[in-house]
Amino acid sequence: MRAVTWQGKRKISVESVPDPRIEEPTDAIIRVTSTGLCGSDLHLYEVLTPFMTPGDILGHEPMGIVEEVGAGVPDLMAGDRVVVPFQIACGNCWMCLNALQTQCETTQVSAEGMGAALFGYTRLYGAVPGGQAEYLRVPQAQYGPIKVPEGPPDDRFVYLSDVLPTAWQAVAYADIPQGGSVAVLGLGPIGDMACRVAQVRGAGRVFGVDLVPERLERARARGVETYDLKSFDNEKELVTAIRDETDGRGPDAVIDAVGTEAHGSAVAKLTQQAAALLPRSLGGPLAERFSVDRLAALYTAIELCRRGGTLSLVGVYGGMADPLPMLTLFDKQLQIRMGQANVRRWTDEIIPYLTDEDPLGVDDFATHRVPLEDAPHAYEMFQRKREGAVKVLMTP
């Protein structure tokens, strides 16, 4: 089959690789019909390269058609249409039963001290082959895949794999009072969708901050009060401008949808780039022990949020030498409120919004649809924020 593979920093190629096969009774094989390019994939492209191996298959936002199931998968059959969550969870352990699927005790990558295994996301999360491919082996298929109906196009459902539950959890964790206010830092796919979710869940005012004109215009068209970071001389001016709109207090909640690759953190950026350029035998240990995040967005969130408000961190952090131990806080989902989205916790709440009325705007959420073979260009375009790219879907 053909698959998108990581070959080095900023080097993606589409290669022929062996077809996946059933390895465990709880496996399924999915023929992928659509697969997303996520902002988290760009961390592998740029920052998390010390944890990658050439040939790793990327991607964690797939949906498709079931081709084959193992003997331990009673509720799926060939021909079922499914969305595959980005995390691999069993549904039966203590963590899963308590709606913490990203901490699944069956698939935890304990050798790395991390939570549940993820598709296509470094050795830290199990080095599981990802979903930017023609076919995908799905472990724990007795629980993970979400059946969706025939009829509507893939765009209606594919975001159940990551974007929708991640944005939904970000808003739920933000704990915005009914009619209250929230600021969303970063209007990429997750930040954009978080604004939409906040609106349908009853937020009175939604402020969006970014520096890419197309992203700002896209959010503004849906009623978000937008702020162009480039129009302010410094972060304090931005904070003052939004505070002035909230009786001088600041918004009730702030969602950081930027994470580790924030603009405005020059020293941390140089440190990240240095680790990524070292040989893996050196860069990996350096990144594990001494990695730092670019914390400009987090610092802004802390300054902006009103006293007694809530910070919801949904942008990925991974540093171990930050002023805060961000890797441990993020991975274990400790409060402030943060962590990888627990996909199956939220899907039953989200699905009623995936109707023909399309209140979340999923049908036209993608800005680009490209063949799988065009993945190298898609990664470069998305990473450089060119051609108006906000969300890219690939078709094998």
Side-chain angles (χ1 to χ4, degrees):
M1 70 172 183
R2 301 288 283 172
V4 179
T5 66
W6 184 90
Q7 299 295 339
K9 182 176 179 178
R10 300 181 195 148
K11 187 175 181 182
I12 302 298
S13 66
V14 182
E15 305 288 342
S16 294
V17 301
D19 290 350
R21 58 183 179 81
I22 298 291
E23 298 178 16
E24 301 289 342
T26 51
D27 288 350
I29 304 298
I30 308 297
R31 175 174 57 83
V32 177
T33 56
S34 291
T35 185
L37 173 54
C38 179
S40 296
D41 292 324
L42 297 185
H43 299 320
L44 312 182
Y45 190 72
E46 181 76 20
V47 174
L48 297 179
T49 59
F51 305 112
M52 300 294 290
T53 301
D56 282 351
I57 299 175
L58 301 175
H60 57 268
E61 297 186 348
M63 71 172 292
I65 306 300
V66 176
E67 292 282 303
E68 184 181 0
V69 297
V73 184
D75 296 327
L76 288 182
M77 62 175 55
D80 283 344
R81 189 186 192 196
V82 297
V83 179
V84 180
F86 70 88
Q87 78 238 179
I88 302 169
C90 72
N92 293 313
C93 68
W94 188 93
M95 290 290 181
C96 287
L97 292 174
N98 284 275
L100 289 165
Q101 290 90 349
T102 57
Q103 311 303 326
C104 174
E105 292 170 317
T106 299
T107 74
Q108 273 182 18
V109 187
S110 55
E112 300 288 350
M114 305 299 278
L118 309 179
F119 287 103
Y121 214 77
T122 82
R123 64 171 174 81
L124 295 179
Y125 288 100
V128 181
Q132 291 172 3
E134 292 181 306
Y135 294 92
L136 175 68
R137 171 181 167 255
V138 181
Q140 304 298 326
Q142 82 288 348
Y143 176 69
I146 304 160
K147 286 196 226 182
V148 296
E150 296 294 335
D154 282 6
D155 293 50
R156 182 74 55 85
F157 303 114
V158 67
Y159 305 115
L160 286 169
S161 59
D162 184 352
V163 173
L164 281 168
T166 297
W168 199 273
Q169 178 170 296
V171 173
Y173 278 12
D175 197 25
I176 308 160
Q178 196 69 18
S181 58
V182 61
V184 179
L185 307 183
L187 297 175
I190 301 301
D192 185 336
M193 185 57 74
C195 290
R196 303 179 188 202
V197 171
Q199 289 170 326
V200 302
R201 287 175 61 102
R205 300 185 74 178
V206 179
F207 306 101
V209 180
D210 206 291
L211 43 67
V212 180
E214 294 87 352
R215 296 182 177 188
L216 290 161
E217 175 55 34
R218 179 177 160 104
R220 190 180 306 120
R222 295 189 67 91
V224 176
E225 301 174 53
T226 58
Y227 291 79
D228 185 347
L229 193 60
K230 292 186 293 187
S231 68
F232 298 92
D233 289 335
N234 54 58
E235 165 260 346
K236 290 190 179 297
E237 287 188 3
L238 169 68
V239 168
T240 298
I242 298 178
R243 278 184 179 166
D244 287 346
E245 295 294 320
T246 54
D247 298 320
R249 288 188 291 268
D252 298 306
V254 178
I255 295 172
D256 172 4
V258 178
T260 185
E261 292 188 76
H263 292 266
S265 304
V267 174
K269 179 179 180 179
L270 288 172
T271 304
Q272 289 177 342
Q273 291 178 336
L277 290 170
L278 288 171
R280 286 191 303 120
S281 60
L282 299 175
L286 177 66
E288 287 182 78
R289 296 181 61 190
F290 303 113
S291 59
V292 293
D293 288 301
R294 291 147 70 178
L295 296 175
L298 177 58
Y299 293 153
T300 299
I302 292 169
E303 181 70 16
L304 177 59
C305 191
R306 70 161 171 82
R307 294 180 185 274
T310 303
L311 300 183
S312 177
L313 309 187
V314 65
V316 172
Y317 285 99
M320 289 297 281
D322 294 325
L324 296 173
M326 294 302 299
L327 178 61
T328 302
L329 287 170
F330 185 85
D331 184 65
K332 294 178 69 175
Q333 293 187 231
L334 303 179
Q335 307 297 321
I336 306 166
R337 300 209 70 180
M338 63 177 71
Q340 307 280 8
N342 302 296
V343 173
R344 293 304 300 268
R345 175 177 181 174
W346 308 109
T347 49
D348 288 347
E349 294 183 21
I350 297 168
I351 286 174
Y353 290 88
L354 304 182
T355 63
D356 288 341
E357 288 73 27
D358 193 20
L360 295 172
V362 295
D363 284 349
D364 59 0
F365 190 70
T367 54
H368 293 72
R369 295 171 180 81
V370 302
L372 193 71
E373 296 292 332
D374 288 350
H377 171 69
Y379 269 81
E380 181 181 14
M381 172 182 68
F382 189 31
Q383 196 268 342
R384 295 182 181 275
K385 301 179 178 66
R386 292 177 175 170
E387 302 177 37
V390 178
K391 186 60 184 178
V392 181
L393 294 180
M394 293 184 279
T395 304

